[in-house]
Amino acid sequence: MSDPTDPESLPPPLGEGRGGGTRRIQSQPRVEGRGPPSRPSPRGGRSKVKAALDAWFAARGWKPFKFQREVWKAVAQGRSGLLHATTGAGKTYAVWLGALLAHAQAARPRKEGARPAPAPPLTVLWLTPMRALAADTLRALQQPLEALGAGVQPWSAGARSGDTSSAERSAQNTRLPTVLVTTPESLSLLLARADAGEVLGTVKMVVVDEWHELLGNKRGVQVQLALARLRRWNAGLAVWGMSATLGNLHEAMHALLGHGDGVLVQGQVPKKLVIDSLLPGRAERFPWGGHLGLTMLPQVLEEIAAGSTTLVFTNTRSQSEIWYQAMLEARPEWAGTIALHHGSLDREVREWVELGLTSGELKAVVCTSSLDLGVDFLPVERVLQIGSPKGVARLLQRAGRSGHAPGRPSRITLVPTHSIEMVEGAAARAAIAEGHIEARHSPDQPLDVLVQHLVTVALGGGFVPDDLYEEVRGTAAYAGLTRAHWAWCLDFVAQGGASLAAYPDYRRVVPDAQGVWRVPDARLARRHRMNIGTIVSDASMAVQYLGGAKIGSVEEGFVARMKPGDCFLFGGRLLELVRIHDMTAWVRRASGQRPAVPRWNGGRMPLSNTLADAVVQQLALADQGLWESPELRCVRPLLELQQQWSALPTPRTLLAETLKTREGWHLFLYPFAGRHVHLGLASLLAWRVAQHEARTFSIAVNDYGFELLSASEVDWPARLPEVLGMPAGDAAQAHEALLHEVLASLNAGELAQRRFREIARVSGLIFQGYPGEKRSSRQLQASSSLFWEVFRKYDPDNALLAQAERELLSQELEIGRLAASLARMGTQQLVLRALERPTPFSFPLMVELFREKLSNENVADRIARMVEQLEKAAGGVVTAGGAERVRGSLAFGQEGAARPPAPRRERRRRP
């Protein structure tokens, strides 16, 4: 390793195929008023640090990659930037060793018998998106610290998150370590300390790990605001982000830094990535959501048995419970060598699993996104993904959990739960080969996060409004913040806005005699600190053995529907509910009964645009008779039958199908835009049709298309071309008209009110309670509903109402993607097919409607009967296995939703 401050002393490239990377430095001038970069420590100290780290690298037989040297050089120059490199390539050491080289100092000589000098004050903040990663990250950072030796002033290291013990937290309150690993929420709590400026003013560098995980949500906005505050105390603050799965790198860097004057380093490290699929012996031609159920279990068990350590990812916690239990029942001798890991399990359980993975003692772990990020499990050689990953970035992230080290191959195997998901496997591999990864965008001006930040800053020493306004506008999220919106935010924290001015609890921040805005009430200050953060979830209820240990937590709504004696599957155990008391479900072990499986909200991820486009490209290959991939060859019977009875969607064509059954008149449309967009499109088209004559429509959606079912006949050949496409006018007018149409076509008031519940919690309108004083979902909903009604009646211009509507459009309905889909559909050739019977593509949508109207038993009978009839019509062999097998698979199409699996709306529209 060479001196990173001297470009001439950088070691030469390490040889063909050994490293690589490009650095792009934006040419924009520095923003006026931005201070000079933090200067590195004296050269004598750097030489000792470099020598120690050189020896540490050499002892492991490592050589630095080119991108690591580029980061070291940029950090030594005090620059900020974004490092984008594959998982397991060495990003952590690229940034962390750069920080040590730049800021560690030589130890000062001390007299014999004198006490050792204290460690330097807080110098590096390391932000991680998950508190579960803090301990693992801290271990990784401590290894090179231990190698620095006596000649370098020793750095202390620690972590601070919701999992930190009270004793350690108390010690940190006296003196923070030199490097602190923490979360966005814990950083905001530090900003709320009265001495925040003094404690955090020594920070020279902030590292944001897994920036892609934060960028697209309010937690990322929280980070942007915190960084702006830190820059106020140290104008030369260096900020570095790290990611492996971003498609819009320059925009991501701008959102992190607040400007474009940064260093973009892309590490190209040769790493073999294997993406394959575990294919069934025969692809059923008439699938439904989750129809494969556990039929793939024997093949999954064979793959696990043949390897060393495997991660088995599912998309939902419910599915992880089902698969873990099924694996144990099939291989009881594996008890103790396979485990379950998801976010609702108790922290001690999760840590035991993580330790078993690290040591190589576990053969397999069934997990969810709780193991997506950061944690290094070197023994893991293989990843199995149950069902569609829904996106290219998520697939890459999970693949990187295997072979997590430079030079080791990563392998992920897709296990389809639906025949058409096999096409997604080939599509994902093609998208990655072409370098197509989803972009993530920062939310635009979420005012609930801003008002929370105002109270935080008021607690952390106070603020002068004009100064803080300029500080906030320095972030990407609030660059366009107007003075009017700023004034509204100030009024909201001062008195709760016009409608709450009479209530003292909403006078949270007021100016003192010097014009500095502070929190005058200690009770309100304590309340705010207890509720800092933007993570909003439904109220959960602890699950605990009678007289024993806590197992984890489930959503309150699931337990509320149970009565004592009912059994459910949780943490891989069959449990019997004994009683509910103080927001705790007290349970005992049970056996012999058929259990329910908890459902958690948030499991219904839509297919990403990038992956959806790649799927349509694969269908175009099939349309041309090109069956090049194993997945396409396996699913060929289904696709050929779809061609024979109808057609295949392609990038140039929009497929629509019509069918008359005893239920009514069906329209099936296949935009391949994801279930969120399809819900908006289906409601919009139904509303447009109903402007001509009164209609009642039932709606079903999946990731590939949607269904409109009407009890009366609709002339779709005439109507469909009229209702497709964007409204008339220029771009701005068309977009505005589309917003009005979408809101009119849905129960927008109810949907926006649901969004408002989250906004009310983040903005501090609703107090969620002190520790041990949890409030139920019903209480929180009642509180938010009251505010919703008060604002609509007495304060209709309240900015939080408008934000609820914007978030509904942008997040739940993905209005940007919906508009793009409409525009694309307007340019495609409409292929309208009148069907004699359901096709392989339309059958899954029909099943979605059956699920809502019928019980599981009746649905199973209906599906089995229809599959038998359709296979006979296709000249094939019936393989559905009868109603019993269908019934057993129905749970696998629910995708963890607490509500029915397919959004369904009945709309009556009159002109």
Side-chain angles (χ1 to χ4, degrees):
M1 201 185 311
S2 56
D3 187 345
T5 64
D6 183 2
E8 297 302 323
S9 65
L10 284 173
L14 298 172
E16 185 71 16
R18 180 59 184 136
T22 59
R23 182 184 66 185
R24 299 187 179 94
I25 302 177
Q26 300 298 314
S27 59
Q28 290 92 332
R30 288 188 176 275
V31 176
E32 185 175 349
R34 187 178 304 139
S38 297
R39 300 314 303 164
S41 55
R43 193 173 186 87
R46 289 199 308 274
S47 61
K48 292 184 178 180
V49 174
K50 189 180 79 67
L53 294 179
D54 274 340
W56 185 73
F57 247 56
R60 285 158 176 75
W62 295 350
K63 292 182 179 180
F65 292 110
K66 182 181 178 182
F67 80 86
Q68 291 175 321
R69 298 196 307 271
E70 289 186 354
V71 173
W72 297 337
K73 177 182 176 182
V75 173
Q77 293 172 343
R79 304 295 303 278
S80 297
L82 175 67
L83 169 58
H84 192 264
T86 56
T87 300
K91 294 188 298 295
T92 298
Y93 287 138
V95 178
W96 176 228
L97 298 189
L100 291 176
L101 287 165
H103 301 296
Q105 298 181 0
R108 295 180 180 178
R110 62 186 176 95
K111 297 179 181 179
E112 186 176 349
R115 299 178 60 182
L122 180 62
T123 303
V124 176
L125 271 173
W126 196 285
L127 295 185
T128 176
M130 293 174 61
R131 63 187 185 184
L133 301 180
D136 184 77
T137 301
L138 182 60
R139 283 193 293 270
L141 302 187
Q142 285 174 327
Q143 290 181 14
L145 283 182
E146 296 167 357
L148 290 180
V152 179
Q153 188 176 3
W155 278 28
S156 56
R160 188 182 184 96
S161 70
D163 290 339
T164 304
S165 67
S166 56
E168 185 175 356
R169 192 182 301 272
S170 178
Q172 290 177 356
N173 287 339
T174 303
R175 183 179 178 86
L176 288 169
T178 313
V179 55
L180 180 67
V181 181
T182 189
T183 61
E185 292 73 26
S186 292
L187 175 56
S188 291
L189 277 169
L190 289 173
L191 290 174
R193 289 177 50 156
D195 60 348
E198 179 182 348
V199 170
L200 298 175
T202 60
V203 174
K204 297 178 180 178
M205 183 171 174
V206 178
V207 181
V208 184
D209 203 355
E210 310 284 6
W211 175 229
H212 59 272
E213 194 69 19
L214 298 168
L215 171 60
N217 56 51
K218 291 180 181 179
R219 298 182 75 210
V221 176
Q222 190 178 10
V223 170
Q224 292 181 46
L225 290 169
L227 292 175
R229 180 100 294 228
L230 293 173
R231 288 191 193 98
R232 185 172 189 84
W233 296 321
N234 180 0
L237 180 75
V239 177
W240 279 85
M242 297 192 298
S243 177
T245 54
L246 275 170
N248 51 332
L249 296 179
H250 291 279
E251 180 183 349
M253 183 173 70
H254 183 273
L256 178 67
L257 306 183
H259 58 84
D261 186 22
V263 180
L264 177 59
V265 179
Q266 298 184 64
Q268 305 294 335
V269 177
K271 185 176 179 68
K272 184 179 181 181
L273 173 62
V274 178
I275 302 171
D276 55 11
S277 296
L278 197 59
L279 301 174
R282 181 180 184 275
E284 294 178 18
R285 295 188 287 184
F286 298 97
W288 60 90
H291 74 98
L292 289 176
L294 287 171
T295 58
M296 300 296 293
L297 178 63
Q299 291 172 262
V300 168
L301 294 175
E302 288 178 12
E303 296 297 321
I304 292 173
S308 55
T309 302
T310 303
L311 291 180
V312 182
F313 275 104
T314 66
N315 288 338
T316 69
R317 286 167 280 185
S318 303
Q319 297 293 340
S320 69
E321 293 277 355
I322 294 173
W323 273 87
Y324 174 71
Q325 189 66 23
M327 289 167 60
L328 268 185
E329 290 176 357
R331 294 290 185 95
E333 69 275 14
W334 282 2
T337 62
I338 65 172
L340 177 67
H341 191 290
H342 61 67
S344 291
L345 295 175
D346 191 60
R347 177 171 60 93
E348 291 185 2
V349 176
R350 299 196 309 269
E351 289 180 348
W352 176 85
V353 175
E354 292 164 14
L355 184 62
L357 277 172
T358 303
S359 63
E361 296 175 3
L362 291 176
K363 189 165 190 63
V365 173
V366 184
C367 55
T368 63
S369 57
S370 58
L371 288 184
D372 268 3
L373 303 176
V375 183
D376 296 340
F377 301 125
L378 294 181
V380 175
E381 292 184 351
R382 180 88 172 274
V383 170
L384 299 178
Q385 166 67 45
I386 307 295
S388 167
K390 303 294 187 181
V392 177
R394 185 176 295 107
L395 181 83
L396 283 171
Q397 189 71 37
R398 292 181 172 180
R401 297 300 97 205
S402 64
H404 196 100
R408 291 181 57 188
S410 293
R411 183 183 181 189
I412 186 167
T413 300
L414 304 179
V415 182
T417 60
H418 186 296
S419 290
I420 304 177
E421 283 181 351
M422 287 183 257
V423 182
E424 292 186 41
R429 190 165 53 244
I432 291 172
E434 295 171 6
H436 295 164
I437 304 176
E438 293 85 3
R440 290 175 172 85
H441 309 285
S442 172
D444 184 35
Q445 299 182 46
L447 297 185
D448 55 342
V449 183
L450 181 55
V451 296
Q452 183 186 107
H453 184 67
L454 291 183
V455 182
T456 296
V457 175
L459 283 169
F463 65 86
V464 176
D466 286 346
D467 294 342
L468 186 57
Y469 175 67
E470 294 302 324
E471 177 182 313
V472 167
R473 276 174 50 88
T475 65
Y478 299 99
L481 183 68
T482 64
R483 279 286 182 181
H485 275 138
W486 177 249
W488 183 90
C489 291
L490 292 175
D491 183 61
F492 187 78
V493 298
Q495 60 175 5
S499 55
L500 300 177
Y503 300 94
D505 275 4
Y506 301 102
R507 299 173 193 165
R508 292 180 284 174
V509 183
V510 295
D512 61 15
Q514 288 75 40
V516 178
W517 289 49
R518 306 181 190 275
V519 178
D521 189 317
R523 180 180 61 88
L524 294 180
R526 185 167 60 253
R527 220 166 81 161
H528 176 78
R529 289 190 177 101
M530 295 307 306
N531 287 271
I532 280 178
T534 62
I535 299 176
V536 178
S537 60
D538 284 355
S540 60
M541 188 173 288
V543 180
Q544 189 166 350
Y545 285 122
L546 279 174
K550 180 181 176 184
I551 310 169
S553 60
V554 296
E555 287 185 0
E556 177 195 357
F558 170 76
V559 180
R561 293 191 295 269
M562 304 184 74
K563 60 182 183 296
D566 286 351
C567 295
F568 63 102
L569 193 64
F570 182 66
R573 306 171 179 91
L574 181 59
L575 306 174
E576 177 188 338
L577 178 64
V578 178
R579 65 174 182 270
I580 298 174
H581 182 66
D582 289 338
M583 292 296 285
T584 300
W586 297 93
V587 299
R588 59 182 166 222
R589 296 294 288 265
S591 61
Q593 297 188 46
R594 184 176 179 180
V597 180
R599 298 281 174 200
W600 287 271
N601 286 331
R604 298 179 69 80
M605 300 177 292
L607 194 68
S608 76
N609 237 2
T610 302
L611 186 53
D613 291 345
V615 168
V616 176
Q617 292 288 348
Q618 291 296 310
L619 294 179
L621 293 176
D623 190 54
Q624 299 167 28
L626 302 175
W627 311 95
E628 297 174 351
S629 68
E631 293 87 354
L632 284 183
R633 289 193 291 272
C634 183
V635 81
R636 181 173 180 174
L638 182 154
L639 298 180
E640 287 184 333
L641 186 61
Q642 175 69 29
Q643 280 181 306
Q644 180 183 340
W645 287 4
S646 175
L648 286 174
T650 71
R652 295 187 300 274
T653 60
L654 174 64
L655 175 62
E657 299 171 340
T658 60
L659 177 67
K660 171 66 174 69
T661 68
R662 68 186 188 188
E663 279 84 16
W665 280 260
H666 305 255
L667 170 73
F668 305 100
L669 200 66
Y670 305 99
F672 279 80
R675 64 174 62 247
H676 289 176
V677 173
H678 290 160
L679 176 58
L681 283 174
S683 298
L684 176 64
L685 264 59
W687 181 83
R688 286 178 173 178
V689 169
Q691 300 310 294
H692 300 279
E693 53 184 314
R695 296 283 180 187
T696 297
F697 288 98
S698 294
I699 295 173
V701 306
N702 61 21
D703 278 321
Y704 311 128
F706 61 85
E707 173 188 5
L708 293 179
L709 172 62
S710 174
S712 57
E713 186 174 3
V714 179
D715 185 5
W716 286 116
R719 289 287 182 219
L720 195 55
E722 297 175 357
V723 298
L724 290 174
M726 289 287 290
D730 61 30
Q733 292 171 335
H735 186 74
E736 188 65 24
L738 178 62
L739 293 183
H740 287 298
E741 285 187 325
V742 170
L743 291 174
S745 70
L746 290 160
N747 187 359
E750 178 184 340
L751 295 173
Q753 184 174 353
R754 189 171 64 195
R755 297 298 309 181
F756 181 78
R757 292 172 193 164
E758 300 182 4
I759 292 169
R761 295 191 210 180
V762 173
S763 65
L765 281 173
I766 297 175
F767 177 50
Q768 299 181 68
Y770 295 109
E773 187 196 11
K774 285 188 175 180
R775 299 187 178 188
S776 69
S777 290
R778 183 173 300 178
Q779 290 173 311
L780 295 174
Q781 287 179 15
S783 298
S784 66
S785 297
L786 177 60
F787 283 115
W788 172 263
E789 295 300 332
V790 167
F791 289 160
R792 290 187 62 182
K793 187 173 183 179
Y794 300 105
D795 189 11
D797 295 328
N798 190 292
L800 297 184
L801 296 180
Q803 181 182 335
E805 185 175 292
R806 287 197 310 273
E807 289 188 7
L808 166 66
L809 290 168
S810 64
Q811 297 178 28
E812 292 199 29
L813 300 177
E814 299 187 66
I815 191 66
R817 191 174 171 187
L818 190 153
S821 297
L822 271 178
R824 184 181 67 248
M825 289 158 65
T827 65
Q828 290 176 308
Q829 177 188 351
L830 179 62
V831 177
L832 185 60
R833 295 284 189 263
L835 305 178
E836 297 180 6
R837 60 187 67 86
T839 61
F841 278 19
S842 63
F843 183 70
L845 289 166
M846 297 184 72
V847 172
E848 296 291 354
L849 276 184
F850 295 158
R851 277 177 161 151
E852 292 197 25
K853 294 181 177 180
L854 305 173
S855 67
N856 265 10
E857 287 74 15
N858 292 334
V859 169
D861 291 335
R862 183 75 183 275
I863 291 174
R865 187 166 60 251
M866 287 185 68
V867 169
E868 181 178 0
Q869 294 168 352
L870 291 170
E871 280 290 354
K872 286 181 178 178
V877 178
V878 179
T879 59
E884 188 59 35
R885 184 239 155 171
V886 173
R887 192 175 298 115
S889 73
L890 286 176
F892 290 84
Q894 309 252 341
E895 299 196 10
R899 53 189 180 276
R904 173 178 176 266
R905 301 288 183 270
E906 293 198 1
R907 297 281 177 257
R908 183 174 295 277
R909 300 297 179 211
R910 299 188 184 277

